[in-house]
Amino acid sequence: MRLCVFCGSQLGRDDVYASAARELGRGLAERGIELVYGGAAVGTMGQLADAALAAGGTVIGVIPEAIFSQEVPHQGLTRQIVVADMHQRKARMAELADGFIALPGGAGTLEETFEVWTWAQIGLHGKPVALLDVAGYYQPLRVFLDNMVTERFLRQRHRDMLFIENDLDALLARFAAYTPPSVKPIVR
Ligand code: AMP
């Protein structure tokens, strides 16, 4: 089992976010779940990876060469995969992982999460996607997602594919029970 975690290149205002990232890194490692993430040493990404490694976990980074100057690559990972750009990064992370978890993060975190969720909606993969909420960070987004359904820009069955949990065990239980909704295959 290998999960991809999207999270911030920043630490956030409160230590609750860094500590949740460390708890997740440790939690995955202790359960023998391999971690795939953005490969940086900074922000909550660095905290996540350091904690997973310290707990004996396997950590695979996927980092674009072009952002070395902004996001220092982690030097101690099990494996660091260097790709050319952001598109390759997302494709590679998606290929390697069996599911996706987003911790609190910024626009990059949301972009990556929404992209894998939309890929699932159109049947490009059948892997589960979840927001791991910390300190209510994702509650305004939950309200907005429900508003998208109310206003009929999002189908309820697609909304239901994006889990929001605040506990790792509850999230993993939903992943284990996940069956992707059937989608008409895209003819390319
Ligand atoms: P942020 O949540 O904005 O701190 O960014 C978290 C991570 O997402 C960072 O590693 C960013 O480099 C990455 N990121 C931002 N935009 C993209 C994108 N379009 N594709 C892939 N990764 C991205």
Side-chain angles (χ1 to χ4, degrees):
M1 170 86 144
R2 200 187 275 146
L3 294 179
C4 174
V5 175
F6 301 126
C7 59
S9 54
Q10 311 292 317
L11 283 169
R13 183 171 66 90
D14 195 293
D15 185 58
V16 72
Y17 300 116
S19 106
R22 291 192 294 270
E23 200 184 315
L24 177 60
R26 196 167 48 244
L28 294 176
E30 283 170 1
R31 290 166 178 78
I33 299 171
E34 295 186 5
L35 167 66
V36 177
Y37 86 113
V42 297
T44 50
M45 286 194 280
Q47 303 282 314
L48 169 82
D50 286 344
L53 291 164
T58 296
V59 183
I60 303 169
V62 184
I63 194 162
E65 209 165 0
I67 60 165
F68 274 17
S69 55
Q70 295 158 43
E71 283 174 28
V72 189
H74 199 296
Q75 300 297 338
L77 303 181
T78 314
R79 191 171 155 213
Q80 179 73 278
I81 301 173
V82 180
V83 293
D85 56 35
M86 294 295 195
H87 295 294
Q88 284 186 17
R89 177 195 237 179
K90 281 182 293 192
R92 202 68 206 279
M93 289 169 107
E95 219 173 81
L96 288 166
D98 301 307
F100 307 90
I101 300 174
L103 277 170
T109 301
L110 287 179
E111 196 276 340
E112 292 168 317
T113 309
F114 273 58
E115 181 148 34
V116 290
W117 176 37
T118 58
W119 286 350
Q121 282 179 24
I122 59 175
L124 292 180
H125 67 75
K127 302 171 183 180
V129 188
L131 305 171
L132 184 55
D133 198 14
V134 177
Y137 181 74
Y138 280 125
Q139 292 312 309
L141 181 61
R142 181 199 289 270
V143 172
F144 183 69
L145 291 168
D146 291 338
N147 191 50
M148 291 168 78
V149 175
T150 305
E151 296 306 317
R152 299 202 193 145
F153 285 108
L154 175 64
R155 293 195 171 94
Q156 185 68 51
R157 66 190 166 88
H158 289 155
R159 162 67 190 87
D160 294 342
M161 291 166 78
L162 183 63
F163 304 150
I164 305 180
E165 290 292 343
N166 50 25
D167 172 77
L168 180 59
D169 282 319
L171 185 155
L172 293 175
R174 292 191 75 180
F175 274 17
Y178 181 69
T179 316
S182 66
V183 183
K184 274 193 223 145
I186 292 176
V187 180
R188 282 192 255 202

